[in-house]
Amino acid sequence: MFIVRVAPISKGITKEELYYFSSRPYESGSIIKIELRNKETSALVLESKDALENKTEIKEADFQLKKIKKQSPKKILSEDFIWTIENFSKNNLTTTGALLDYLVPSNILSFDGIIKPQTRARRRKYLKGDILILQGEESERITHYKNIVRESFARNESVFICVPTIKKGLKIFESISRGLGDYVYFLNGSMSKKELLSNWKKATENKHSIVIIGTGQFLSIPRNDIETIILESESSNAYKSQHRPYTDIRDFIENLSEKTKARLILCDTVLRVETIWRYRERDISELYSPRFRYPSGPKTRIADMTQYKTQSEKKVFEILSNEIKHLIEKDVITNKKNMFIFVARKGLYPFTVCGDCGEHVLCERCGKPTVVQNYKSSRIFVCNGCGKTRPTEERCKHCNSWKLQALGIGSSLVLDTIKKAYPSVPISLVDKDTTKTTPQINKKIKTFYSNKGSILIGTQLALEYIENVDLCSVISIDSLFSIPDFKMNEKIFSLLVELRSKTKEKMLVQTRIKNKELIEFALRGNIFDFYKKEIEDRKKFLYPPFANFAKITIIAPRKSIEEKVVEVKKIFSGLDLELFPALHTKSGSRTAINIIIRVKKENISEFIKRTQKLPTEIIIDMNPTVLT
Ligand SMILES: [Zn+2]
Ligand SMILES: [Zn+2]
């Protein structure tokens, strides 16, 4: 008899390891099936020990050991990958099993066939922890990727290109695979089980050097000849998981490449402020001299929307500036140019506020702001978070006033306004409400490009689908500045630079904000001055990279939440705590509170140690995407 120590692969299990009986030993690092809570679950074997030699240990175990069914174990992950998972989970507030569940496709875990990884001697070792940056526009980056692939193939090495989204992966795949057909694999979560297994098998068993393009989940592919990992669009939010285990794939890749000694190249049009900081501190190096200015670009202009006043000097809320009207009349209608219009929010009006007391209208279910939308011939409130709808005919929940005012500019409002003013212009809209599927989006994009002199309005959703456009107008971006997120400046800046790089002739930004410095930097493609300003602010306010944020979310019945907060405070006593009521207030008797803790670099290991005392139902997210 043997005792087998395993890590159950499941996000629901908070225990790091479990013990089982077995009639045979299983090699550590192999994947087996165990019975857990009456369900068959995959598990990673950590260790097998002879039961006879470990009698006392069995006696001391205060639980009944279950038996493992006889089976043939699978060796589907590389030792380096498993080692990285185990180490990473220790330092990142999660378990080996939860991380495996997140980072290995379930279809691969449950696959019963045989895959024979190619193992080969490595030709060249890069220095340990060799991290390089590549900052350039997308077309330049792709040219570099092609060169990297060519050079790697010449040295018999493989390349992994990690992408944030399937759409991005497809684009890279299409540009890289020309002429390399059988050696480029695009692995992604939208593949059917059959397709995935067949591609995974081919990519693993291919004797030639290959390129793998994939989202983070596919880093688990067991090829030991990957000497270069390219992290494409490294500033993308998509790399950070919004749910347990709250993993940041970028951090994991750094750990993995350090272990496998592959070089890691961080790539983007505008790298994260933290990344540029590391480069300037000489913590990481460069592949090519990075670009901090993109001098060539379209003609740009800022329209100050506060200039519109009545004769009595009262401010008038205009949706379209004189500048955009001019662009539509001269360039779109007369010269048949195409224009993309960016609007940050969907719906008609992103917010509704009480005219008497200032209270925001919020969703009754989840507490997020409601958006006013057209519905048949009337209007409804739609929750921005959970999508719950209700009629707009209501009084202020706080003061009972009827004076509810819809505010802001949503994409549908822009659509209605332009349609009314210029009924002859072909116009369409891409946002989460209007286009719900990828084919729907693709169809609208295609129509836009094939109709000269047309307009496409889009939110963030449309950005990935837009290639080059003649003209670009940003109608509303101001609302983004008020989001409580220390990374918001960086996000707005990157967004504007990206739009600029896609615009061929003219770009216009409408704004009501006073300090237009950030917009000006973006419209000039001036990353350097933006960075200088931003890093100064971060230093002043002790934001990353100068400190880390931890978000601790406590969800509990109203009556006992105070108790829980006290408990958490005690665990972290001596550290700076900031309390925020969470936006995701659960309905009924339960409520939620976020505690934000700023953790200085030197205190991080002490902090991690203390988190182990937290009750398991408390959620902790390091460097979250949003603070509230
Ligand atoms: Zn009110
Ligand atoms: Zn809601």
Side-chain angles (χ1 to χ4, degrees), residues 354 357 396 399:
C354 171
C357 75
C396 170
C399 74

Side-chain angles (χ1 to χ4, degrees), residues 364-396:
E364 287 163 341
R365 185 156 68 193
C366 76
K368 284 204 167 174
T370 55
V371 178
V372 179
Q373 264 178 28
N374 281 327
Y375 181 71
K376 292 182 181 157
S377 56
S378 76
R379 288 176 174 184
I380 49 166
F381 284 135
V382 182
C383 169
N384 219 347
C386 70
K388 192 174 175 5
T389 60
R390 67 177 198 254
T392 50
E393 292 78 27
E394 66 177 39
R395 294 177 185 234
C396 170

Side-chain angles (χ1 to χ4, degrees), residues 194-220:
K194 205 176 141 196
E195 204 181 351
L196 170 64
L197 288 174
S198 133
N199 275 288
W200 180 277
K201 199 168 151 68
K202 278 190 221 154
T204 311
E205 294 180 344
N206 198 329
K207 289 192 169 67
H208 195 277
S209 310
I210 59 165
V211 181
I212 301 163
I213 298 160
T215 44
Q217 276 210 318
F218 298 92
L219 288 160
S220 52

